[in-house]
């Protein structure tokens, strides 16, 4: 089963400076682009949407000290983080439904898990069945059960890469607040084929990856077989139409 995978960055669809605050115009713009692409027939193999946490999940995860590696078994943390992400997911779904997109939720907390080594398990049979039925599955960064740690965070970027591998994705696109990977002069890097291409720009800082920086995204996308792009909201229509946009990562 192949599909296009589109990730809507949390910083794109929310105001990350204000807890649990939606960027309504940006989300509506994204939903309209998805609807147009589906109607225009450029997504014949199906579409999977993943969205980040932005000011919803990240706010509560930070308050409770939960990360991709640091877990918790406190029910208050579980309710706060997952509840905030369900709320954001409902906003995303409602905007897609308003554009007649047949979007359906897939909750990572109910489907994914990690073992004692941190290895991720994300069954995709449900998602494949949804795609075959003509639905648009919508996943999001969330908490997941983790052996020996209670729950930890699974990021939207991690979901994207796991889905791309499992589904044999045709294309992967990350919609960001910047028009692509930027060089030292602020210009978009057209194409990246190895991390060495942008090492001097992005650096090797582990802290950058922990905060969801561009270096981690590039490293991860380089490991995929599917062609990937990082682009800004202004290019979402072109990406969904099959055009090359932003920074291509191959």
């Amino acid at each position: 089963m192949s599909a296009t995978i589109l990730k809507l960055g949390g910083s794109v669809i929310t105001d990350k400076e204000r807890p649990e605050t939606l960027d309504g115009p940006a989300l509506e713009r994204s939903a309209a682009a998805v609807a147009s692409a589906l109607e225009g027939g450029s997504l014949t193999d199906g579409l999977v949407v993943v969205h980040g946490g932005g000011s919803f999940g990240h706010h509560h995860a930070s308050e409770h000290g939960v990360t991709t590696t640091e877990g918790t078994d406190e029910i208050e943390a579980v309710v706060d983080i997952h509840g905030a992400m369900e709320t954001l997911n409902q906003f995303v779904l409602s905007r897609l439904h308003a554009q007649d997109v047949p979007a359906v939720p897939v909750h990572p907390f109910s489907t994914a898990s990690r073992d004692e080594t941190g290895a991720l398990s994300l069954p995709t049979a449900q998602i494949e069945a949804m795609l075959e039925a003509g639905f648009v599955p919508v996943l999001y960064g969330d908490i997941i059960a983790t052996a020996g740690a209670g729950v930890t965070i699974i990021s939207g970027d991690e979901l994207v890469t796991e889905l791309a591998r499992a589904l044999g994705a045709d294309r992967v696109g990350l919609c960001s607040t910047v028009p692509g990977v930027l060089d030292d002069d602020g210009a978009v890097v057209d194409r990246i084929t190895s991390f060495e291409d942008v090492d001097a720009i992005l650096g090797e800082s582990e802290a950058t990856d922990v905060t969801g920086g561009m270096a981690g995204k590039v490293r991860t996308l380089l490991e995929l077989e599917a062609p990937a792009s990082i682009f800004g909201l202004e290019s979402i229509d072109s990406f969904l139409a099959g055009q090359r946009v932003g920074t291509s990562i191959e």
Side-chain angles (χ1 to χ4, degrees):
M1 185 74 192
S2 59
T4 295
I5 298 177
L6 170 67
K7 194 237 175 158
L8 300 174
S11 58
V12 175
I13 62 173
T14 75
D15 180 351
K16 292 192 77 170
E17 300 302 317
R18 301 170 61 191
E20 296 196 27
T21 302
L22 191 71
D23 186 334
L27 181 51
E28 289 165 10
R29 170 79 175 80
S30 303
V34 169
S36 179
L38 289 171
E39 184 178 352
S42 58
L43 296 171
T44 55
D45 289 330
L47 173 70
V48 178
V49 174
V50 177
H51 65 81
S55 63
F56 285 74
H58 287 294
H59 170 70
H60 293 286
S62 178
E63 280 196 338
H64 291 287
V66 184
T67 69
T68 56
T69 56
E70 297 295 323
T72 183
D73 57 6
E74 295 181 0
I75 188 62
E76 182 180 359
V78 171
V79 171
D80 286 350
I81 301 169
H82 180 64
M85 287 310 303
E86 278 195 308
T87 297
L88 178 55
N89 183 243
Q90 284 299 314
F91 280 130
V92 174
L93 291 171
S94 68
R95 297 309 194 276
L96 289 168
H97 293 160
Q99 296 284 343
D100 295 325
V101 175
V104 290
V106 178
H107 306 291
F109 188 34
S110 301
T111 56
S113 63
R114 296 189 200 276
D115 64 19
E116 295 86 348
T117 69
L120 176 66
S121 172
L122 179 64
T124 58
Q126 176 191 23
I127 296 169
E128 292 175 16
M130 290 175 174
L131 288 168
E132 290 174 358
F135 295 120
V136 175
V138 181
L139 297 86
Y140 52 90
D142 199 3
I143 51 173
I144 58 172
T146 301
V151 299
T152 58
I153 299 295
I154 182 168
S155 70
D157 289 342
E158 188 175 5
L159 285 169
V160 166
T161 56
E162 288 295 321
L163 290 167
R165 293 189 183 100
L167 299 176
D170 296 319
R171 302 171 72 233
V172 174
L174 271 60
C175 184
S176 177
T177 53
V178 291
V181 178
L182 305 180
D183 64 19
D184 291 333
D185 297 320
V188 175
V189 177
D190 182 62
R191 184 168 174 261
I192 299 173
T193 58
S194 70
F195 195 79
E196 287 68 27
D197 293 345
V198 289
D199 189 4
I201 302 169
L202 300 179
E204 293 285 353
S205 170
E206 185 65 24
T208 300
D209 292 348
V210 169
T211 57
M214 194 64 78
K217 298 180 193 300
V218 170
R219 284 197 192 95
T220 302
L221 294 175
L222 281 166
E223 297 173 359
L224 298 178
E225 293 185 7
S229 301
I230 297 174
F231 53 88
L233 184 59
E234 69 281 353
S235 298
I236 189 170
D237 294 274
S238 298
F239 169 77
L240 291 172
Q243 299 175 26
R244 182 175 174 177
V245 296
T247 299
S248 298
I249 300 176
E250 304 166 1

